């Protein structure tokens, strides 16, 4: 039914209306493999195992928003780096990712923009910018499926 879907934005659900774990399980196992833009900001039930499936199935993703998804860990970044080789924009703001894991994003040559608003110090921001000079970091958030 949605095999040609290229964008999906399930970000910022109203309070109490986040997708359930069962819904996310179904979504990542059945969504179009042609997805290029995925917005999952504030989907609090999203977990590492969901990211593993999404990154394995949907290799065409170019933009991924995970702002405020507190259920994922550095393991999700491993899945993203391994499976989403075409990724250009990544928003992992407010995640508790390890700064050293973020620095591994240099292995993603197509990545151009990174939003990581959980940086604790100015020194950490400078370290990110120095270690990842090819990235635009925390400059401007990007929108998926924007209204024109």
């Amino acid at each position: 039914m949605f095999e040609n879907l290229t964008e999906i934005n399930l970000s910022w659900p109203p309070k109490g209306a986040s997708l359930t774990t069962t819904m996310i399980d179904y979504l990542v196992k059945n969504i179009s493999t042609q997805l290029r833009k995925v917005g999952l900001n504030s989907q609090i039930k999203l977990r590492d195992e969901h990211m593993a499936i999404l990154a394995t199935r949907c290799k065409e993703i170019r933009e991924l928003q995970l702002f405020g998804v507190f259920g994922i860990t550095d393991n999700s970044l491993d899945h993203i780096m391994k499976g989403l080789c075409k990724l250009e924009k990544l928003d992992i703001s407010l995640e508790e990712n390890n700064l050293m894991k973020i620095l591994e994003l240099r292995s993603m040559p197509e990545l151009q923009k990174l939003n990581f608003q959980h940086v604790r110090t100015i020194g950490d921001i400078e370290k990110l910018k120095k270690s990842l000079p090819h990235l635009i970091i925390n400059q401007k958030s990007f929108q998926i499926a924007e209204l024109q």
Side-chain angles (χ1 to χ4, degrees):
M1 180 178 198
F2 296 106
E3 59 272 351
N4 294 322
L5 186 69
T6 60
E7 293 185 25
I8 189 166
N9 191 350
L10 300 169
S11 296
W12 313 116
K15 187 173 182 172
S18 294
L19 296 176
T20 66
T21 302
T22 303
M23 291 173 172
I24 295 172
D25 284 339
Y26 183 83
L27 177 75
V28 298
K29 290 175 182 172
N30 296 285
I31 197 70
S32 169
T33 57
Q34 300 304 310
L35 281 176
R36 292 179 179 267
K37 297 180 180 185
V38 179
L40 295 169
N41 294 332
S42 294
Q43 287 297 338
I44 59 174
K45 301 289 185 177
L46 187 71
R47 300 289 182 262
D48 290 331
E49 54 269 20
H50 299 127
M51 287 307 306
I53 295 166
L54 189 67
T56 300
R57 289 190 67 248
C58 302
K59 300 207 177 275
E60 297 299 316
I61 294 175
R62 305 285 199 285
E63 297 183 24
L64 180 60
Q65 291 182 322
L66 300 171
F67 183 105
V69 178
F70 300 109
I72 61 174
T73 68
D74 287 344
N75 291 333
S76 284
L77 278 180
D78 287 333
H79 299 305
I80 289 167
M81 286 184 279
K82 182 179 178 186
L84 302 180
C85 300
K86 297 179 181 179
L87 193 66
E88 297 170 0
K89 298 177 183 179
L90 175 63
D91 190 337
I92 50 173
S93 296
L94 299 185
E95 303 310 317
E96 289 283 345
N97 297 103
N98 179 324
L99 184 61
M100 297 309 293
K101 180 59 71 177
I102 299 299
L103 294 175
E104 290 178 25
L105 292 173
R106 69 178 141 251
S107 69
M108 299 187 75
E110 299 298 317
L111 192 62
Q112 300 166 13
K113 293 184 179 182
L114 172 67
N115 288 334
F116 179 60
Q117 301 292 332
H118 199 73
V119 180
R120 288 178 169 55
T121 68
I122 293 173
D124 285 347
I125 293 171
E126 293 307 315
K127 186 174 187 176
L128 275 175
K129 289 181 179 181
K130 185 177 181 181
S131 298
L132 303 168
H134 66 289
L135 293 183
I136 297 170
I137 300 173
N138 294 345
Q139 188 174 32
K140 182 180 176 188
S141 62
F142 53 94
Q143 297 296 316
I144 292 177
E146 285 185 71
L147 295 176
Q148 298 293 331

